[in-house]
Amino acid sequence: MTRPDLTEQDPAGPPAGPPVPSLWRHRDFTAYWLGESAARVGVQVTALVLPLLAVVELDATSSQAGLLNGAQFVPYLLFTLVAGVWVDRLRPRPFLVATNLARAALLTLVPVLLWLDVLGLGLLYATGFAIGVLAVLYDLSSSTYLPVLIGKDRLAEGNSRVQGSGSVARIAGPGLGGVLVQLVSLPATMVVAAGVHLFSAVALLAVRTREERPAPTGKPVLREIASALRFVAGNPYLRVSAFRAGFNNLFFMAMQTLLPLFVVRELGRSSGTLGLVLAVGAVGSLIGAVLAVGVARRFGPGRAIVAGFGVGSFAQALTPLAGGPTVVVLTVLLGSFLLGGIGTTIGNIHLSTLTQTVTPARMLGRTNAALRFLTWGTMPVGAVAGGWLGDAVGLRAALVVTAVGFAVSLLLVAFSPVGRLRELPPEASWTE
């Protein structure tokens, strides 16, 4: 594969050349970052507009809107493992471009069908499902392509830039979508979202770095999936990462299910308060993305991961303490989500960098897919369990249980090989 020439410094002696330039001066990374940022904004706008379209234009009930949201996440369980093999067998960049073009086409088609008066909930469910499939392919291809583009030695910096733009997208995307809906209309906003994905595809086409097409393995898909799962289970860092993330996501989805009910019913606050809390969490994620590289340089990747998740776990323990006057409620909730966004993002950036560093390039796609399958598979269970627990013991007590779960997930990392890392380990060897 081709890779830009990035001059390194020798930490054990005098500089071997000029300092490593900022990634902002790396033309191909800048083009990739623009495309990635635009895609994330498009995803956020779509996540707001698609359910609104169902409710406003098609008179969908709450349960039908829930089914539409669910249709977009089912592909993560159905297709992630197979998609990882595809990404490893082919070059990831064409997937990035093609999935953006396909999303642009789908988001343009929906308003056309609505204008023709043939759009129904069934077609909208199918659209949501297709968007979910494209999201699976895009996410896996993006995480696989970044090490090709900038090299594994600069992954922490690159992941920090990408996480930062993702945080901005989570802040600005819903707001942009809401403003556009007010200024124009729901169908027109979908066309704008399509245009954002089209811009992303054009930006990614401007990347000059070309990855080599992987040599065909000749192995059945199921055997390659099994190989990736064995690799994750056999690597001490990936094994811990997968187990911690799966355990954490179980309680995260329980908390996400309980939080709207807790804010609106238990605390008697408006949905606007809930939106403010979530927006502040996204601001915290942006701050964490800015701080992540410096934290790892000072303390090492293992301590950065533990410290990040430690701050995130402490922040989650604050949420059930909210109560009393409005100023106290807002202080506790906003502080909880601000700290949680900062800490969790720092931990996630360095955990992603660790995964990309130890995984051989030839199997990065299916390894990411295996990790995504293992760690996201607990989320539907967490959502159901959180709702049941809230009915069984009360919303505040259920949030205390989720806070304990976050603390346990922290201990799983703190006392593992991941927590003891002083520097990133070399690429792991693996025989297929």
Side-chain angles (χ1 to χ4, degrees), residues 101-139:
L101 292 175
R103 283 189 282 199
L106 281 171
L107 293 174
T108 303
L109 179 63
V110 170
V112 172
L113 294 176
L114 182 65
W115 178 70
L116 294 173
D117 200 24
V118 295
L119 181 67
L121 283 172
L123 283 174
L124 206 58
Y125 292 154
T127 301
F129 182 82
I131 289 174
V133 173
L134 295 170
V136 169
L137 286 168
Y138 182 90
D139 291 347

Side-chain angles (χ1 to χ4, degrees), residues 280-307:
V280 167
V283 172
S285 296
L286 178 60
I287 297 172
V290 173
L291 297 176
V293 174
V295 171
R297 284 175 180 167
R298 182 173 180 83
F299 301 107
R303 289 180 180 176
I305 291 170
V306 172

Side-chain angles (χ1 to χ4, degrees), residues 11-12 18 56 59 72-73 79 95 129 145 204 210 245 258 343 347 360 374 395 398 420:
V56 174
D59 297 320
Q72 299 177 66
F73 285 95
F79 302 117
F95 278 117
F129 182 82
Y145 189 51
L204 291 165
R210 297 292 183 267
L258 295 165
L374 294 170
L395 298 173
R420 295 191 292 270

